Amino acid sequence: MANRTLLHEGTLMINHRPYRDKEDLLQIGGLIRRAHAQAPHCNAWSFARFDIWAHRKIGDEQVHAKRDWQQGLRLWEVEGGELAGAILFANDHSAALIYDPDLRENVEPMLAWAEARYTENGDPGKPLTIEALASNAFLEQSLRSRNYTRPEEHYIYRQKLLESERGEPVMLPDGFYVKSTETVAELRAFHRAVQAVFNFEDSVDVYRILQQAPSYVPELDLTLLTAEGEVAAFCTVWLDRESGVAEFEPVGTVPQYRKRGLGAALLADASNRLRSVGCRMATVFSWSESVGANKLYAGAGLEEKDRLYSWRWQGA
């Protein structure tokens, strides 16, 4: 898988190279934002998802000296160094394809590189997966032509326009209140709640690096607390100020506090905070099989707009 030079439209040369340093991650994040402004369906990964992934990887490197993830990241550049696209492997069998909609002819060689890497390093018991939004007809056609298959299960992409300046009622039980996460003790309590909901163990040191992501806003890292100060629910909101788009990730209610309307109250509070800073749209991804989460988001006014599928490939 050595460097290859490609010819685009007979004149423009596109080369690919390995990851160098975290400046590459900032460039990929910039490409995701530029592409979304031009063609919102182009890339499966949102600005928030990439920011979270990239800064967790920076944290893994700086805190835990883990650098193996760098081997699964490849960048494609036009002459002069402008980024044309990137492939990143979230694990040995799941790859994300990020591309410039003006250079979509580059998708085929990018997929070929991902397939070659998977064939060399992947788990043969698991198929290679590439995510694509259902509205991206071009990428769907490319994947089908390369013998990828689409599963039934998917993520639902939801949107909510924040046009009303009046805000929404926040219906909290007596004694419960919402605040942003500030101190180390509050951060650890938040992490315990996340583990209780998603079985994900976080690190304060890595999270501090995550907080350096361009879309992280301290005032939108929210927890809903009981009168005794226990975390009952949480919602972190990532904001791209230039586009005016926000994304909820993660959202959860600790098991013993469910069915009290806390999730709905927290989403209403977060939406009001977004209105106050001029955000025009809130978004979220929800798993198709998560009945409770989908009911919560639909009730909060987050309407289904697209679907995200993980297409599977096990060889030509």
Side-chain angles (χ1 to χ4, degrees), residues 44 93-95 111 127-137 139-151 153 307-314:
H93 62 277
S94 299
L111 288 172
L128 170 66
T129 62
I130 302 284
E131 292 177 319
L133 289 165
S135 57
N136 190 341
L139 185 53
E140 176 175 336
Q141 181 179 0
S142 295
L143 293 169
R144 287 191 187 279
S145 71
R146 301 182 71 88
N147 296 316
Y148 287 76
T149 59
R150 195 185 78 178
E153 62 271 17
R307 294 184 176 187
L308 178 64
Y309 291 93
S310 292
W311 290 73
R312 299 167 180 168
W313 182 87
Q314 289 186 297

Side-chain angles (χ1 to χ4, degrees), residues 129-312:
T129 62
I130 302 284
E131 292 177 319
L133 289 165
S135 57
N136 190 341
F138 166 77
L139 185 53
E140 176 175 336
Q141 181 179 0
S142 295
L143 293 169
R144 287 191 187 279
S145 71
R146 301 182 71 88
N147 296 316
Y148 287 76
T149 59
R150 195 185 78 178
E152 289 297 321
E153 62 271 17
H154 57 274
Y155 279 93
I156 301 170
Y157 173 62
R158 297 177 175 274
Q159 293 179 353
K160 174 182 179 179
L161 296 178
L162 302 173
E163 297 173 330
S164 172
E165 297 181 357
R166 295 183 302 168
E168 305 169 37
V170 180
M171 309 297 290
L172 282 173
D174 290 343
F176 287 78
Y177 62 102
V178 178
K179 75 177 299 295
S180 56
T181 304
E182 298 171 351
T183 68
V184 172
E186 290 173 343
L187 191 54
R188 286 177 176 150
F190 163 54
H191 289 166
R192 288 194 296 271
V194 170
Q195 186 171 23
V197 175
F198 296 112
N199 195 29
F200 174 74
E201 186 174 355
D202 214 334
S203 156
V204 170
D205 291 336
V206 171
Y207 200 81
R208 288 302 190 200
I209 294 170
L210 179 60
Q211 290 174 318
Q212 298 170 23
S215 57
Y216 178 82
V217 181
E219 296 78 15
L220 297 175
D221 199 349
L222 305 174
T223 50
L224 194 160
L225 306 176
T226 68
E228 295 74 31
E230 294 292 323
V231 177
F234 50 84
C235 173
T236 303
V237 191
W238 307 83
L239 175 62
D240 181 42
R241 294 185 184 276
E242 186 171 347
S243 66
V245 176
E247 183 172 332
F248 300 132
E249 172 60 33
V251 179
T253 302
V254 176
Q256 60 265 38
Y257 295 106
R258 290 173 183 167
K259 300 189 182 298
R260 303 190 194 185
L262 300 183
L266 186 52
L267 289 175
D269 184 283
S271 297
N272 290 340
R273 292 173 190 248
L274 290 170
R275 289 185 178 92
S276 72
V277 296
C279 179
R280 66 179 180 85
M281 181 189 297
T283 67
V284 73
F285 285 87
S286 59
W287 183 236
S288 58
E289 307 307 304
S290 296
V291 176
N294 285 306
K295 182 178 180 180
L296 169 66
Y297 295 137
L302 287 146
E303 300 178 355
E304 178 176 344
K305 294 297 181 181
D306 211 336
R307 294 184 176 187
L308 178 64
Y309 291 93
S310 292
W311 290 73
R312 299 167 180 168

Side-chain angles (χ1 to χ4, degrees), residues 73-137:
L73 202 160
R74 200 80 175 176
L75 293 87
W76 276 256
E77 296 174 333
V78 299
E79 293 174 292
E82 182 180 353
L83 189 63
I87 286 278
L88 60 91
F89 274 79
N91 53 49
D92 63 2
H93 62 277
S94 299
L97 184 150
I98 297 161
Y99 69 98
D100 185 330
D102 287 333
L103 298 171
R104 65 183 192 175
E105 293 86 350
N106 199 40
V107 164
E108 291 292 330
M110 292 170 70
L111 288 172
W113 185 88
E115 292 160 9
R117 187 184 189 281
Y118 162 80
T119 300
E120 182 178 333
N121 300 294
D123 181 347
K126 298 178 181 178
L128 170 66
T129 62
I130 302 284
E131 292 177 319
L133 289 165
S135 57
N136 190 341

